[in-house]
Amino acid sequence: MATILSTSGVSKRFGDLDALNGVSLEIREGEFFTVVGPSGSGKSTFLRILAGLEAPDAGRVRLRGEDITEVPANRRPTCMVFQNLALFSHRTVGENIEFSLKMKRVAQRERRERALETMRIVRLPESYYSRRVTQCSGGERQRVALARALASDPEILFFDEPLSSIDYRLRKILEVEMKDLHRRTRKTFVYITHSLEEAMVMSDRVAILNEGRVVQTGTPAEIYYRPANCFVAEFMGEVNVFELNDGKIVELEVPAPGTLSGYLVVRPEFLRKLDAGEVADVRFAATVANDYMLGSRTHYHLRVGEVALVAEVSAGQSATLCPGDRADWGFDLADSALLTE
């Protein structure tokens, strides 16, 4: 896919704070691109710069290769869906969806046709056209905001944590609907979130921001299984990190295979209980500190001396262990990532 939106060396400072520090990214046309990072990492500032709502102190923003750094938001072929949705509570669903079209002096009949078309896209019944926004549920208001964004037919849709304030069950439903909406519209989606789960479920590619810098960009699978450093590994979910030093895995006090140095990162699902005679590249004894049933899987919190580890076992492969049980555990190097920092 061709690049539709790119940044080069984008920086932004607020007082003594470097919100962004030389961010360079390329976003491909038609992809679902998510920027994720901890609070204060600069992701919302970056989105506002991409949308033209904030000016960078340095660096450039380009749309299809054309410099748009100085182009105001209302002159860009983009649209933003805000965290608070920014709907007009005193207006109907139809009036909210048509608002930007009315500002562009689009004829009333065409406005209505386009509003109804986008309502069908986001699966809002046509009967909602005359309903007050205040009479809509949280999920319905999310759909109204999406329909309003789509009504102006933007090339790129920006999303500033639009699902952060709704309950878990509805959020899971809307994650699926957002991904489906992206597939059906073939628009470019640029999404900001602090939720790793949202990023993993919906995205084609993910960029990890930390302290105003991009630390890794890749598919969800690449970032999850092949993190660039220990920060990314730990940020992307529970993980076991082992330090390698002087031919040993320090935390386990067992020999390290070969002459490896740095850190071994092992996801919980690759740490497995070993039966007698079963072979693994790394083997050690551990005590079960606690177990946590998580529906289709169980997390075992293990202790090796003072070291805490996490193992994940699927329901069909239950290790049938109880707190206090001691057993051999292990993993293979092919299921780990070797990091230098």
Side-chain angles (χ1 to χ4, degrees), residues 14-271:
F14 296 104
D16 296 330
L17 174 67
D18 284 322
L20 295 172
N21 198 335
V23 174
S24 297
L25 279 176
E26 291 188 354
I27 298 169
R28 300 165 188 164
E29 187 165 8
E31 76 173 336
F32 199 128
F33 188 90
T34 298
V35 180
V36 65
S39 296
S41 61
K43 56 188 184 294
S44 291
T45 299
F46 182 59
L47 187 72
R48 291 179 62 81
I49 288 173
L50 289 179
L53 300 172
E54 194 86 50
D57 295 333
R60 313 308 295 172
V61 180
R62 292 180 173 83
L63 177 68
R64 302 187 189 279
E66 181 180 346
D67 193 327
I68 60 167
T69 311
E70 312 297 335
V71 177
N74 62 351
R75 291 179 52 199
R76 300 187 185 191
T78 62
C79 191
M80 174 86 84
V81 178
F82 293 95
Q83 182 176 353
N84 64 4
L85 304 184
L87 297 174
F88 300 109
S89 60
H90 62 288
R91 297 179 184 269
T92 65
V93 167
E95 289 169 339
N96 269 276
I97 296 172
E98 295 174 13
F99 181 75
S100 63
L101 302 177
K102 187 175 182 180
M103 292 299 98
K104 294 177 182 178
R105 301 183 184 280
V106 175
Q108 183 178 4
R109 181 174 179 178
E110 184 179 347
R111 293 200 311 263
R112 179 183 172 85
E113 289 176 354
R114 205 178 301 184
L116 292 174
E117 179 185 354
T118 56
M119 286 173 65
R120 286 190 290 271
I121 292 174
V122 300
R123 299 193 172 117
L124 271 176
E126 186 173 321
S127 59
Y128 277 52
Y129 180 85
S130 300
R131 179 175 293 193
R132 292 280 179 182
V133 167
T134 51
Q135 296 175 307
C136 296
S137 68
E140 290 164 350
R141 286 195 292 270
Q142 294 283 340
R143 294 183 180 91
V144 173
L146 287 171
R148 183 178 61 183
L150 290 168
S152 59
D153 194 26
E155 293 187 50
I156 303 172
L157 278 81
F158 297 115
F159 299 89
D160 186 9
E161 304 197 52
L163 307 184
S164 63
S165 60
I166 57 180
D167 65 76
Y168 178 80
R169 185 174 180 277
L170 178 57
R171 187 164 69 247
K172 299 309 298 176
I173 293 171
L174 290 174
E175 283 175 7
V176 173
E177 291 192 358
M178 284 281 290
K179 189 168 185 175
D180 182 58
L181 177 65
H182 173 256
R183 180 187 59 79
R184 288 186 285 115
T185 62
R186 301 184 183 276
K187 299 283 187 182
T188 302
F189 282 17
V190 182
Y191 196 94
I192 297 295
T193 182
H194 64 275
S195 169
L196 304 175
E197 193 170 358
E198 284 181 29
M200 297 291 282
V201 167
M202 297 190 293
S203 313
D204 295 317
R205 287 193 305 142
V206 177
I208 307 292
L209 272 184
N210 186 37
E211 296 181 344
R213 298 178 184 272
V214 176
V215 292
Q216 188 171 1
T217 304
T219 66
E222 287 169 347
I223 290 176
Y224 184 78
Y225 291 114
R226 292 291 178 262
N229 54 38
C230 289
F231 167 79
V232 174
E234 293 172 343
F235 182 73
M236 291 302 289
E238 288 192 277
V239 69
N240 302 295
V241 180
F242 303 105
E243 183 180 0
L244 305 174
N245 187 36
D246 293 332
K248 278 190 174 183
I249 298 178
V250 175
E251 290 82 359
L252 304 178
E253 296 185 355
V254 299
T259 56
L260 301 176
S261 61
Y263 300 90
L264 276 180
V265 172
V266 184
R267 292 291 176 191
E269 58 266 34
F270 293 125
L271 196 58

Side-chain angles (χ1 to χ4, degrees), residues 254-323:
V254 299
T259 56
L260 301 176
S261 61
Y263 300 90
L264 276 180
V265 172
V266 184
R267 292 291 176 191
E269 58 266 34
F270 293 125
L271 196 58
R272 66 185 192 274
K273 179 180 174 295
L274 300 176
D275 295 327
E278 190 173 353
V279 176
D281 292 336
V282 176
R283 187 186 188 104
F284 57 92
T287 302
V288 177
N290 221 329
D291 59 342
Y292 299 89
M293 178 65 179
L294 302 173
S296 62
R297 63 198 192 282
T298 299
H299 272 195
Y300 289 101
H301 285 202
L302 310 176
R303 303 292 295 188
V304 181
E306 297 301 313
V307 178
L309 305 174
V310 181
E312 180 177 301
V313 179
S314 66
Q317 300 173 322
S318 177
T320 61
L321 294 169
C322 299

